[in-house]
Amino acid sequence: MSSPAAARFDRGHTDDLMTFLAASPSQYHAVANAAERLEKAGFRQLAETDAWDASTGGKFVLRGGAIIAWYVPEGAAAHTPFRIIGAHTDSPNLRVKPLPDTGTQGWRQIAVEIYGGTLLNTWLDRDLGLAGRLTLLDGTERLVNIDRALMRVPQLAVHLDRSVNTDGLKLDKQRHMQPIWGLGDVHEGDLIAFLEDEEELERGSVAGWDLMVHSIEPPAYLGRDRELLAGPRMDNLLSVHAGVAALAAASTAGTLDHIPVLAAFDHEENGSQSDTGADGPLLGNVLERSVFSRGGSYEDRARAFAGAICLSSDTGHAVHPNYAERHDPSHHPRANGGPILKVNVNQRYATDGSGRAVFVNACERAGVPWQTFVSNNSMPCGTTIGPITAARHGIQTVDIGVAILSMHSARELCGADDPYLLANVMLAFLEN
């Protein structure tokens, strides 16, 4: 890597990613950790209910499991265009239901609902913790993280399902995925009372909750030469972490002729249609308010959006050695091969030829190799926040990411070099 941008991130970035993943068992923890890192880089939080001024510098807005952060350089005009890194904070998992206490046959269990397209079998026979957000009667919120072996989803023994290794494992989402967390009679309110005790809160003070299960196994380097990284929630905290690092670094770049932005949304895994999702108004509102706070008109807003570009970063599929036939025959992204450009002519990804040029330019400036991902024509293609961002805001968008295995598993796998290669490309994009 020859460029100044490329020198900014190295294998230490991957070490830091492991710390970020372990500290972010929910999207609420992820945005809190992102905000803390940005504050250390000189950014300050703005309240959506306050009036915003025309001051320069780094700023961010938090809403639930989403964060929008941006840096206004000195002398930025109202029509200054935006350069946006897009990502999402949520991951497929098991989420606690409104009436969580359940059980049968002398086992105490937790009632969970399946969030997103998770690989159900990857949650079996793992030691699981519990994390998320508690909302108190006075409206305040408290993050909670029980990062110890609290529960488990036990698989049926092979002796009671002799065909499991020949006919395949068949799981019913309702009957087979409820974790156990103890023995005895079921009492309504036990789980929340337990969390109140853990957080040293007054009994009965919790009025609402957004809780989810997580594997307590920490991220780890894998392989003879430690060239791989295994860990939870890489889809898509890997991109969030890289985006935070790139934005913080870009804020020190000196002269910028655009406004760098990080937009990390919630609810991508179930359609993005919420007040914190990419299909909601959050990003547009923040960008517009940034324009108007600097004295801009609707014309300035239109010019800023027309000149904007978004890199939508999400994980993609590395070629699987045991299922290579599931991939396009001529497009086989490999671990540690650099970021991938994601293409789908039916606009499941937003990349087009001009967007490809933007991505290639950033990779070349960063001195980073890159790859292309296209789905096998016989396989349905996934999607991202990219097409939503392009359609909702009229902003040119390019879909990129890091190639991984075991996507939507409780524990995913990528090349250990790819996270910092991605961060370097993001930085080159934001600094250009």
Side-chain angles (χ1 to χ4, degrees):
M1 300 179 197
S2 57
S3 76
R8 304 285 276 277
F9 303 116
D10 53 23
R11 191 63 170 262
H13 175 89
T14 305
D15 295 337
D16 189 62
L17 170 62
M18 296 168 71
T19 300
F20 186 81
L21 292 173
S24 304
S26 76
Q27 66 270 44
Y28 310 110
H29 290 81
V31 298
N33 290 324
E36 181 180 3
R37 288 162 180 255
L38 289 171
E39 285 179 335
K40 290 180 179 178
F43 285 65
R44 60 188 178 91
Q45 182 176 355
L46 300 183
E48 292 186 80
T49 53
D50 290 345
W52 295 0
D53 59 33
S55 61
T56 58
K59 309 172 185 184
F60 65 89
V61 166
L62 298 180
R63 184 192 289 187
I67 181 170
I68 311 293
W70 67 104
Y71 180 81
V72 181
E74 200 74 40
H79 62 269
T80 301
F82 301 98
R83 286 225 161 193
I84 305 164
I85 299 293
H88 69 87
T89 61
D90 59 319
S91 299
N93 56 17
L94 312 179
R95 306 217 171 170
V96 176
K97 288 185 174 181
L99 298 177
D101 299 291
T102 187
T104 185
Q105 308 301 320
W107 295 97
R108 298 168 67 196
Q109 296 173 276
I110 302 300
V112 296
E113 188 173 3
I114 311 302
Y115 178 81
T118 187
L119 284 169
L120 296 178
N121 65 294
T122 67
W123 293 93
L124 302 179
D125 297 332
R126 287 185 183 271
D127 295 334
L128 303 172
L130 188 67
R133 177 178 68 175
L134 302 176
T135 303
L136 308 186
L137 286 168
D138 62 5
T140 59
E141 296 176 353
R142 177 78 67 90
L143 296 185
V144 59
N145 181 13
I146 311 300
D147 197 33
R148 60 180 174 84
L150 181 67
M151 58 186 72
R152 186 180 182 91
V153 183
Q155 188 171 208
L156 185 64
V158 68
H159 312 77
L160 303 178
D161 186 7
R162 295 288 185 179
S163 63
V164 66
N165 290 326
T166 54
D167 297 341
L169 178 65
K170 297 178 176 63
L171 295 170
D172 182 281
K173 293 179 180 179
Q174 180 62 38
R175 292 186 296 124
H176 300 149
M177 297 306 299
Q178 311 306 312
I180 60 171
W181 77 308
L183 299 170
D185 297 331
V186 176
H187 299 287
E188 185 177 344
D190 269 1
L191 178 64
I192 301 306
F194 163 76
L195 294 175
E196 289 170 337
D197 291 344
E198 288 284 316
E199 293 298 304
E200 298 182 348
L201 296 169
E202 183 180 344
R203 284 288 183 95
S205 62
V206 173
W209 52 87
D210 302 279
L211 299 168
M212 57 208 70
V213 169
H214 67 275
S215 171
I216 65 170
E217 186 179 2
Y221 286 112
L222 185 146
R224 185 194 66 179
D225 299 319
R226 294 162 54 88
E227 72 268 46
L228 300 171
L229 175 65
R233 299 175 294 280
M234 291 188 193
D235 180 11
N236 187 32
L237 294 188
L238 188 158
S239 295
V240 174
H241 175 262
V244 169
L247 179 61
S251 70
T252 67
T255 302
L256 293 172
D257 60 2
H258 55 271
I259 295 174
V261 180
L262 170 67
F265 301 100
D266 197 358
H267 300 131
E268 190 273 346
E269 297 294 356
N270 63 4
S272 296
Q273 292 185 325
S274 70
D275 70 320
T276 53
D279 205 16
L282 182 58
L283 176 61
N285 286 350
V286 168
L287 298 185
E288 287 181 349
R289 291 185 68 177
S290 176
V291 170
F292 297 150
S293 68
R294 285 176 279 122
S297 63
Y298 182 81
E299 182 72 10
D300 292 313
R301 180 262 186 216
R303 292 175 67 187
F305 277 52
I309 306 174
C310 175
L311 284 189
S312 166
S313 181
D314 204 346
T315 55
H317 302 292
V319 61
H320 197 301
N322 299 336
Y323 302 92
E325 74 281 358
R326 301 295 182 99
H327 299 263
D328 183 85
S330 57
H331 296 80
H332 282 178
R334 299 178 184 274
N336 288 335
I340 56 173
L341 180 70
K342 302 164 80 171
V343 179
N344 180 264
V345 294
N346 295 303
Q347 291 299 289
R348 300 290 285 173
Y349 304 128
T351 305
D352 62 10
S354 61
R356 183 181 190 273
V358 170
F359 174 70
V360 171
N361 177 275
C363 290
E364 290 186 351
R365 291 187 68 251
V368 168
W370 60 279
Q371 309 176 83
T372 303
F373 172 81
V374 180
S375 289
N376 186 308
N377 286 334
S378 300
M379 301 285 173
C381 180
T383 190
T384 69
I385 64 166
I388 295 172
T389 303
R392 183 171 182 82
H393 305 295
I395 291 175
Q396 180 185 13
T397 303
V398 188
D399 273 299
I400 67 166
V402 162
I404 70 172
L405 293 181
S406 305
M407 186 183 295
H408 288 196
S409 169
R411 194 167 177 85
E412 296 160 325
L413 183 72
C414 75
D417 296 341
D418 283 328
Y420 72 80
L421 296 177
L422 175 68
N424 284 319
V425 172
M426 287 182 173
L427 178 55
F429 167 75
L430 292 180
E431 286 185 333
N432 185 10

